[in-house]
């Protein structure tokens, strides 16, 4: 549902439950695909993660709080590393870049490094986190459509492994900074390949109207490559990059993208005699937020992606007979961070609202909302949730979980079946909040942002502390 400026009652889709949400036989049952791998219920019905129950977590750290299953995060990172490495071994190999924009903090950057992944950052701030974590510079890539001179300087001074070029102006900026520092900047060209994977539309001109990259159809990508090669003393062109969307549940869009990217790769080899060693196919792999979603596993993704790249290389050729196949890189972010985390809230108010006739809506208000998860309001995102602090034998009732902010569109979970006896003081857990929730969190209504609590083997620790009112006031002058 799109949040309407006149209030939720005016929004499209304001009615009964969606088709994918059946009335549950057991309202306490957990759907494994929605939760971190170590999540279960104990004998008292309390949700547990990493062997620790959420009542204890709430008592020690308070609510609202993001609860991150460290082993789940690490396991998903390893799965992408290993399940892509095997099928790509007979090609040019593969690098997995964790997309830091999904969620990044110093400790998570260390986990990513520990598990052998590379790291994709798209701002000087994200790069600063990587530097603080001691992340190996050569395994870092810098993105962004409007990188400042200071950010380019920061990246080249640290020695990042690649900068993804996004505009003609940026080519000149990077070349100038590289000359100043006396280095040769490693660059890739972001190509707008005309594929938009959300709707599986692959017509080149249909998706050129965006701020990212150089158009393939309009010849801008080829022109950018030529300009970079004119700066051979300061710019090292080593690959092409594309990104086709997010929440992708099949690989058909990647097949079209790979075909067009490999075609350009071959053209550069024929026209300029340059064999670029890398192709980046981006990320966007989907996760399950509700029972509606059926994401591919990393193994399925790895096998299918390797198959389509091999097929396209055989069909198109890479323009350099006898040269090794280019290494492929991918950028999962949501698929690693998203399922590893749930948000823990405390219920404050339960209210029934008459809708006319015999219909009513149950609103369950929690101590968070759009300041810690803007995705429902911003993207019409659907979430699930469960009663987390106890088991209930009450009948299920359809509820809407809402936040504490002064907005009618402040909705956390649009529709969910909760026990009929849910009441103030209960804890609710919303899964799938590890990506784009803390990273897009705000201080709306001067609400301090929640902490991130990492749990592993029965131990919980703060990896991002809770903001305080003092933090909110610290930036005020006067």
């Amino acid at each position: 549902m799109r949040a309407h400026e006149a209030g939720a009652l005016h929004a499209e889709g304001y009615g009964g439950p969606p088709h994918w949400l059946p009335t549950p036989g057991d309202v306490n049952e957990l759907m494994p695909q929605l939760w971190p791998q170590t999540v279960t219920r104990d004998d008292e019905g309390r949700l547990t993660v990493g062997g620790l129950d959420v009542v204890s977590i709430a008592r020690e750290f308070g609510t609202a709080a993001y609860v991150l299953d460290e082993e789940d995060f690490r396991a998903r990172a390893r799965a992408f590393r290993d399940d892509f490495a095997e099928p790509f071994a007979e090609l040019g190999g593969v690098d997995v870049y964790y997309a830091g924009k999904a969620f990044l903090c110093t400790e998570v950057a260390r986990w990513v490094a520990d598990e052998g992944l590379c790291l994709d950052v798209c701002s000087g701030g994200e790069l600063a986190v990587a530097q603080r974590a001691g992340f190996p510079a050569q395994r870092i890539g810098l993105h962004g459509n409007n990188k400042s001179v200071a950010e380019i300087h920061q990246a080249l001074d640290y020695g990042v492994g690649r900068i993804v070029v996004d505009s003609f102006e940026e080519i000149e900026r990077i070349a100038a900074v590289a000359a100043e520092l006396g280095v040769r900047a490693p660059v890739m060209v972001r190509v707008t390949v005309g594929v938009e994977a959300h709707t599986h539309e692959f017509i080149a001109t249909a998706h050129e109207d965006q701020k990212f990259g150089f158009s393939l159809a309009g010849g801008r990508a080829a022109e950018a490559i030529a300009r970079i090669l004119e700066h051979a003393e300061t710019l090292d062109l080593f690959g092409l990059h594309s990104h086709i969307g997010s929440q992708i549940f099949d690989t058909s869009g990647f097949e079209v993208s790979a075909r067009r990217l490999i075609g350009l790769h071959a053209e550069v080899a024929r026209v300029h005699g340059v064999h670029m060693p890398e192709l980046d196919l981006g990320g966007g792999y989907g996760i399950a937020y509700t029972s509606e979603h059926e994401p591919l596993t990393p193994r399925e993704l790895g096998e299918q992606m390797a198959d389509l790249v091999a097929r396209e290389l055989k069909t198109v050729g890479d323009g350099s007979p006898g040269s090794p196949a280019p290494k492929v890189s991918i950028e999962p972010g949501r698929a690693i961070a998203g399922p590893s985390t749930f948000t823990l809230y405390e219920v404050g108010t339960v209210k029934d609202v008459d809708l006319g006739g015999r219909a009513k809506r149950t609103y369950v208000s929690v101590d968070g909302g759009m300041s810690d998860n803007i995705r429902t309001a911003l993207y019409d995102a659907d979430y699930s949730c469960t009663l987390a602090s106890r088991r209930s034998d009450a009948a299920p009732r359809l509820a809407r979980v809402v936040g504490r902010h002064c907005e009618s569109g402040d909705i956390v979970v649009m529709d969910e079946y909760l026990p009929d006896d849910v009441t103030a003081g209960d804890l609710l857990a919303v899964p799938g909040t590890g990506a784009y929730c803390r990273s897009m969190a705000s201080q709306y209504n001067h609400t301090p942002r929640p902490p991130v609590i990492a749990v592993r083997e029965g131990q919980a620790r703060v990896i991002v502390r809770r903001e305080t009112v003092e933090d909110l006031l610290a930036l005020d002058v006067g």
Side-chain angles (χ1 to χ4, degrees):
M1 183 205 68
R2 170 63 59 195
H4 194 283
E5 60 267 28
L9 285 173
H10 298 270
E12 181 182 352
Y14 189 89
H19 66 88
W20 46 262
L21 184 64
T23 305
D26 179 4
V27 77
N28 304 285
E29 185 179 0
L30 300 175
M31 298 186 65
Q33 68 267 37
L34 304 184
W35 296 91
Q37 296 171 13
T38 71
V39 165
T40 186
R41 289 191 187 273
D42 64 15
D43 292 341
E44 298 178 38
R46 299 174 301 186
L47 206 68
T48 68
V49 55
L52 188 64
D53 72 86
V54 297
V55 174
S56 299
I57 293 173
R59 186 181 301 121
E60 181 174 357
F61 302 105
T63 56
Y66 303 105
V67 181
L68 195 167
D69 182 341
E70 179 180 345
E71 182 50 45
D72 183 272
F73 185 103
R74 288 178 176 270
R76 293 179 192 277
R78 290 193 297 270
F80 273 98
R81 180 195 69 196
D82 297 341
D83 292 345
F84 271 74
E86 183 177 346
F88 274 94
E90 296 183 3
L91 297 170
V94 66
D95 282 330
V96 178
Y97 282 76
Y98 172 68
K101 64 179 181 175
F103 172 65
L104 190 66
C105 67
T106 305
E107 185 68 4
V108 162
R110 293 186 182 122
W111 299 350
V112 173
D114 288 347
E115 301 303 339
L117 273 63
C118 302
L119 178 64
D120 176 65
V121 299
C122 54
S123 72
E126 289 181 356
L127 179 55
V129 172
Q131 291 176 277
R132 182 178 183 182
F135 203 99
Q138 278 297 312
R139 286 161 54 191
I140 296 175
L142 175 65
H143 262 98
N145 68 296
N146 189 27
K147 306 175 195 71
S148 68
V149 171
E151 287 172 325
I152 294 168
H153 196 289
Q154 176 188 1
L156 292 180
D157 188 56
Y158 191 56
V160 300
R162 66 186 196 181
I163 298 177
V164 182
V165 177
D166 205 272
S167 69
F168 292 115
E169 289 181 351
E170 194 169 87
I171 292 172
E172 303 304 322
R173 286 186 198 135
I174 297 172
V177 175
E180 175 189 340
L181 295 176
V183 300
R184 193 163 180 243
V187 297
M188 302 184 78
V189 173
R190 177 151 180 172
V191 182
T192 307
V193 292
V195 176
E196 207 288 318
H198 303 288
T199 54
H200 308 292
E201 294 178 2
F202 308 135
I203 300 172
T205 58
H207 306 292
E208 301 295 327
D209 187 8
Q210 59 168 293
K211 70 177 184 177
F212 292 110
F214 297 93
S215 167
L216 178 62
R220 293 297 184 94
E223 183 181 350
I225 289 166
R227 290 199 193 182
I228 289 170
L229 293 175
E230 291 173 359
H231 291 282
E233 292 185 359
T234 52
L235 301 181
D236 178 16
L237 175 64
F238 76 96
L240 303 174
H241 178 283
S242 69
H243 181 73
I244 63 173
S246 59
Q247 272 296 82
I248 300 169
F249 293 106
D250 65 61
T251 58
S252 57
F254 289 108
E255 183 169 7
V256 179
S257 175
R259 179 179 308 132
R260 294 175 180 172
L261 218 58
I262 291 169
L264 179 58
H265 176 97
E267 179 184 340
V268 171
R270 289 191 299 268
V271 173
H272 299 286
V274 174
H275 180 82
M276 295 175 289
E278 188 165 339
L279 292 173
D280 191 319
L281 295 177
Y285 310 119
I287 68 169
Y289 286 106
T290 70
S291 59
E292 177 185 24
H293 303 132
E294 297 181 7
L296 296 171
T297 65
R299 180 165 296 278
E300 291 169 330
L301 283 166
E303 291 174 350
Q304 292 180 29
M305 294 282 285
D307 180 67
L308 68 87
V309 168
R311 188 166 59 249
E312 296 307 324
L313 280 171
K314 183 177 180 179
T315 300
V316 179
D318 66 3
S320 303
S323 298
K327 176 181 282 190
V328 168
S329 49
I330 61 166
E331 299 171 359
R334 183 199 314 262
I336 294 174
S340 71
T341 299
F342 60 86
T343 307
L344 189 63
Y345 299 105
E346 181 176 319
V347 175
T349 300
V350 179
K351 179 190 297 184
D352 288 336
V353 176
D354 291 328
L355 302 181
R358 305 178 68 177
K360 68 177 182 179
R361 172 81 65 196
T362 297
Y363 283 89
V364 178
S365 297
V366 295
D367 55 350
M370 64 194 303
S371 62
D372 59 74
N373 187 351
I374 192 63
R375 294 188 70 257
T376 306
L378 191 61
Y379 297 131
D380 300 341
D382 287 311
Y383 284 89
S384 177
C385 73
T386 192
L387 176 62
S389 50
R390 61 183 174 89
R391 184 181 303 278
S392 175
D393 295 323
R397 78 167 144 175
L398 190 65
R400 179 157 293 170
V401 180
V402 296
R404 62 186 302 275
H405 301 287
C406 291
E407 295 284 345
S408 295
D410 179 25
I411 298 171
V412 179
V413 182
M414 181 64 63
D415 294 292
E416 182 58 281
Y417 284 100
L418 292 172
D420 192 55
D421 63 352
V422 65
T423 190
D426 282 335
L427 298 178
L428 297 185
V430 177
T433 58
Y436 305 107
C437 288
R438 180 58 177 83
S439 63
M440 297 177 73
S442 73
Q443 298 169 341
Y444 184 51
N445 289 156
H446 274 52
T447 304
R449 287 175 289 190
V452 181
I453 312 299
V455 184
R456 187 178 188 183
E457 297 179 350
Q459 300 295 316
R461 69 188 193 282
V462 177
I463 60 173
V464 178
R465 71 168 174 84
R466 184 184 299 280
E467 282 186 329
T468 65
V469 172
E470 288 72 25
D471 291 325
L472 299 181
L473 298 177
L475 295 179
D476 284 9
V477 178

